[in-house]
């Protein structure tokens, strides 16, 4: 399919299946597994930490099937914003999409800031004497560079992403191969006493912590769903890009985790003074192939980290665009670059918040950022989308569904249990940080902001609800729900 000029100055569909899968995988892998393997080992207390990556894969696949059905049916810009707008407009008007954009403007940049923290962390392997100030300046400079590279047309970005995907595959592939050449089954499969004691509360608390870390490592399988208005043949491309990327990254992670544990004694990963606790992949390369090879692959890992932040801000910057165009967010966010057709203010804002999150992460720890971004995300995105699939099947039976979730509703139930586990145990896994309280406070502040915004816009609850089923092929009139005398709205270009 050739790209055609967008109607009314909108987005252009230029991203095919390969680029879409590469964008997802680049965002999913990034620096995540290279910095979280020691965190996973610490959560479980030994090589049984591989359980965390398996559990994370199961949750990612279950949740990914939800994204696949919603993305194929509602291929608009903004991902969850579109899905929640369509599903919950019947009872709460614009509340849910507003709250999603409100929280996404926080949790997406926080996720990107963890990648920048990991970048500086691995850079410390190449420059052991790197000062905190120098590390801060390098991280901030990296964020500026990412924003500058994204300040261009999507066709150029797709080519850049494909190159970065190749580098990502090379970096993880070399670490896996190096681990295989020096692999010790005794190290990889020698479990401490009581490692699988399922009656122990310690095991389940560690499991919840590991599941949180695991799903963090898989986050990004939904990146192209945020770019639904720029995907060619989205009914086929979006579901395939999500499913292919999850299975591909799952295979990579399991080989990487088991291989690393077969080379580096897990006790080294628990020692904060050991290089294996901060740059475990570099430690694997150094032990297997020597310092020179470790330096080269560390450079590839840094490029992979850069690619992850690049892909994440690419997709995330599209989130406020549709909301602003629909008058559910600040209107300047609806403006596209006059030539390259990308949302300028969304990209700039998320770049600034990423920089703030990076500075916070440098002064606390990576676990704090992971806990905060996951708890903020769970209520308004993860749990709401599980409900949205069922609501849309009931409310919009005429909606075109090129892909329908496998084994419905089993994936929804698995995802529900997984996300509730992460949320319910987050405080126990992070004493003193109170992520649940912070997430609820942010949500409450969003409700206050919505009330002020709704009063200004004179929409529900200060006006009538407006029902607009833009993606239904033959929308039916619902008496008493449309705004009296309101002109018909132009459907978004699918």
């Amino acid at each position: 399919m050739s790209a055609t000029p967008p109607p009314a100055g909108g987005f252009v569909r230029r991203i095919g299946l390969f680029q879409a899968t590469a964008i997802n995988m680049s965002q999913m892998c990034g620096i995540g597994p290279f910095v979280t393997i020691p965190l996973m080992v610490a959560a479980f207390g030994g090589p049984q930490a591989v359980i965390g990556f398996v559990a994370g894969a199961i949750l990612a696949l279950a949740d990914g099937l939800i994204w696949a059905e919603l993305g194929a049916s509602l291929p608009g810009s903004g991902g969850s914003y579109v899905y929640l707008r369509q599903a919950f407009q019947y009872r709460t008007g614009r509340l849910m999409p507003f709250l999603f954009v409100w929280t996404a403007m926080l949790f997406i940049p926080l996720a990107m800031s963890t990648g920048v923290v990991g970048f500086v962390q691995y850079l410390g392997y190449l420059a052991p004497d790197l000062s905190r100030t120098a590390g801060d300046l390098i991280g901030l400079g990296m964020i500026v560079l990412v924003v500058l590279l994204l300040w261009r047309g999507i066709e150029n970005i797709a080519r850049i992403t494909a190159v970065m995907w190749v580098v990502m595959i090379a970096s993880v592939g070399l670490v896996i191969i190096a681990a295989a050449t020096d692999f010790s089954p005794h190290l990889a499969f020698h479990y401490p006493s009581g490692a699988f004691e399922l009656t122990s509360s310690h095991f389940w608390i560690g499991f919840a912590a590991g599941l949180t870390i695991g799903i963090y490592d898989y986050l990004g399988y939904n990146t192209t769903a945020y770019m639904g208005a720029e995907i060619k043949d989205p009914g086929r491309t979006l579901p395939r890009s999500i499913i292919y990327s999850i299975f591909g990254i799952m295979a990579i992670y399991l080989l990487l985790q088991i291989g690393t544990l077969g080379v580096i004694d897990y006790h080294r990963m628990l020692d904060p003074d050991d290089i294996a606790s901060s740059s475990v992949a570099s430690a694997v390369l150094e032990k297997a192939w020597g310092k020179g090879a470790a330096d080269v692959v560390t450079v590839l890992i840094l490029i992979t980290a850069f690619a992850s932040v690049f892909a994440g801000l690419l997709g995330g910057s599209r989130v406020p665009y549709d909301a602003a165009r629909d008058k559910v967010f600040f209107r300047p966010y609806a403006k596209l670059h006059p030539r390259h057709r990308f949302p300028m203010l969304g990209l700039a804002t998320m770049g600034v918040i990423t920089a703030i999150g990076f500075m916070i992460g440098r002064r606390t720890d990576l676990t704090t950022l992971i806990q905060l971004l996951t708890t903020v995300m769970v209520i308004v995105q993860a749990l709401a989308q599980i409900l949205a699939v069922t609501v849309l099947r009931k409310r919009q039976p005429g909606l075109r569904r090129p892909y329908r979730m496998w084994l419905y509703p089993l994936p929804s139930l698995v995802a529900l249990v997984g996300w509730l586990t992460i949320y319910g145990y987050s405080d126990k896994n992070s004493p003193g940080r109170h992520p649940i309280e912070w997430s609820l406070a942010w949500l409450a502040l969003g409700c206050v902001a919505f009330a002020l915004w709704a009063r200004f816009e004179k929409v529900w609850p200060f006006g009538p609800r407006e029902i607009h089923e833009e993606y239904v092929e033959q929308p039916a009139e619902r008496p008493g729900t449309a705004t009296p005398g309101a002109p018909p709205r132009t459907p978004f270009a699918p």
Side-chain angles (χ1 to χ4, degrees):
M1 179 190 297
S2 61
T4 58
F11 287 122
V12 180
R13 296 193 181 280
R14 287 176 173 161
I15 300 178
L17 179 60
F18 173 74
Q19 291 107 335
T21 306
I23 287 171
N24 284 346
M25 292 183 70
S26 297
Q27 167 61 10
M28 291 171 73
C29 188
I31 198 69
F34 298 117
V35 296
T36 57
I37 288 176
L39 298 180
M40 191 76 81
V41 170
F44 281 90
Q48 69 273 24
V50 70
I51 296 173
F53 283 107
V54 174
I58 293 172
L59 176 54
L61 183 59
D63 195 58
L65 295 181
I66 296 170
W67 280 91
E69 176 167 327
L70 293 172
S73 305
L74 308 167
S77 167
S80 295
Y81 168 75
V82 178
Y83 316 150
L84 302 185
R85 183 190 70 207
Q86 289 294 299
F88 297 107
Q89 61 182 327
Y90 303 96
R91 292 189 179 275
T92 58
R94 304 180 185 185
L95 174 62
M96 288 304 293
F98 179 93
L99 289 178
F100 165 72
V101 179
W102 177 265
T103 55
M105 293 295 287
L106 180 64
F107 71 72
I108 291 176
L110 283 180
M112 298 310 98
S113 67
T114 63
V116 186
V117 171
F119 179 94
V120 175
Q121 190 172 305
Y122 262 79
L123 188 62
Y125 179 81
L126 298 177
D129 298 326
L130 186 70
S131 67
R132 175 178 289 275
T133 300
D136 291 346
L137 292 175
I138 290 172
L140 293 174
M142 171 186 170
I143 296 169
V144 171
L145 179 58
V146 167
V147 172
L148 290 177
L149 286 175
L150 288 172
W151 208 269
R152 62 192 65 242
I154 190 65
E155 65 277 9
N156 298 319
I157 290 173
R159 287 192 288 268
I160 293 173
T161 301
V163 172
M164 290 183 176
W165 178 82
V166 172
V167 174
M168 181 271 291
I169 292 296
S171 62
V172 295
L174 287 171
V175 175
I176 291 170
I177 294 171
T181 62
D182 197 30
F183 185 78
S184 168
H186 176 74
L187 287 177
F189 305 111
H190 181 70
Y191 305 110
S193 176
F196 301 101
E197 191 174 335
L198 302 185
T199 58
S200 168
S201 61
H202 177 75
F203 173 86
W204 290 110
I205 291 174
F207 176 85
L211 179 61
T212 303
I213 296 168
I215 194 60
Y216 160 77
D217 283 328
Y218 284 97
L219 288 180
Y221 51 83
N222 52 8
T223 300
T224 48
Y226 291 123
M227 307 168 62
E230 298 166 270
I231 304 294
K232 297 177 183 177
D233 191 11
R236 292 168 57 87
T237 301
L238 269 174
R240 292 182 179 188
S241 69
I242 291 171
I243 295 168
Y244 291 172
S245 60
I246 291 173
F247 278 114
I249 291 295
M250 178 173 62
I252 289 172
Y253 281 178
L254 291 178
L255 290 172
L256 188 64
Q257 170 82 5
I258 295 172
T260 298
L261 288 168
V263 175
I264 303 296
D265 190 322
Y266 78 88
H267 293 94
R268 290 184 58 190
M269 302 183 201
L270 303 177
D271 183 358
D273 297 324
D274 195 304
I275 191 65
S277 67
S278 59
S279 306
V280 67
S282 301
V284 168
L285 266 296
E286 183 174 331
K287 188 172 185 295
W289 292 346
K291 184 68 165 61
D295 289 345
V296 171
V297 178
T298 300
V299 171
L300 296 181
I301 292 173
L302 294 176
I303 297 173
T304 299
F306 184 92
S308 174
V309 178
F310 181 91
L313 286 181
L314 168 63
S317 64
R318 270 64 179 167
V319 171
Y321 168 76
D322 223 15
R325 193 175 63 164
D326 205 26
K327 298 181 181 178
V328 183
F329 206 62
F330 302 107
R331 299 184 187 186
Y333 283 91
K335 185 178 180 180
L336 295 178
H337 189 280
R339 178 184 175 189
H340 297 306
R341 317 307 302 165
F342 68 88
M344 297 181 292
L345 189 56
L347 176 59
T349 302
M350 288 200 173
V352 171
I353 299 175
T354 300
I356 295 172
F358 164 70
M359 297 302 291
I360 292 174
R362 289 279 288 172
R363 279 146 185 80
T364 53
D365 56 69
L366 195 59
T367 302
T368 298
L369 285 179
I370 293 174
Q371 291 284 359
L372 182 58
L373 75 90
T374 50
T375 51
V376 168
M377 180 187 69
V378 164
I379 298 178
V380 180
Q381 185 182 57
L383 298 184
Q385 284 193 179
I386 293 171
L387 181 59
V389 169
T390 300
V391 169
L392 285 170
R393 287 194 175 198
K394 177 182 177 182
R395 291 282 193 174
Q396 297 187 12
L399 182 66
R400 181 175 176 268
R401 291 178 172 85
Y403 169 80
R404 297 177 70 91
M405 184 194 305
W406 301 336
L407 303 176
Y408 174 84
L410 182 60
S412 292
L413 296 175
V414 172
L416 178 64
V417 172
W419 289 118
L420 288 177
T421 299
I422 289 172
Y423 194 78
Y425 280 86
S426 59
D427 269 357
K428 293 184 179 181
N429 296 332
S430 52
R433 292 190 287 266
H434 307 295
I436 288 181
E437 287 83 351
W438 280 107
S439 67
L440 292 177
W442 184 255
L443 185 61
L445 187 60
C447 290
V448 173
F450 173 78
L452 297 174
W453 186 256
R455 188 170 184 83
F456 175 80
E457 295 285 347
K458 295 181 174 57
V459 297
W460 183 93
F462 301 102
R465 285 189 295 267
E466 301 175 66
I467 307 301
H468 299 285
E469 298 177 338
E470 288 104 349
Y471 294 90
V472 177
E473 292 181 348
Q474 294 181 343
E477 183 71 22
R478 295 179 178 270
T481 56
T483 303
R489 293 174 53 204
T490 302
F492 300 118

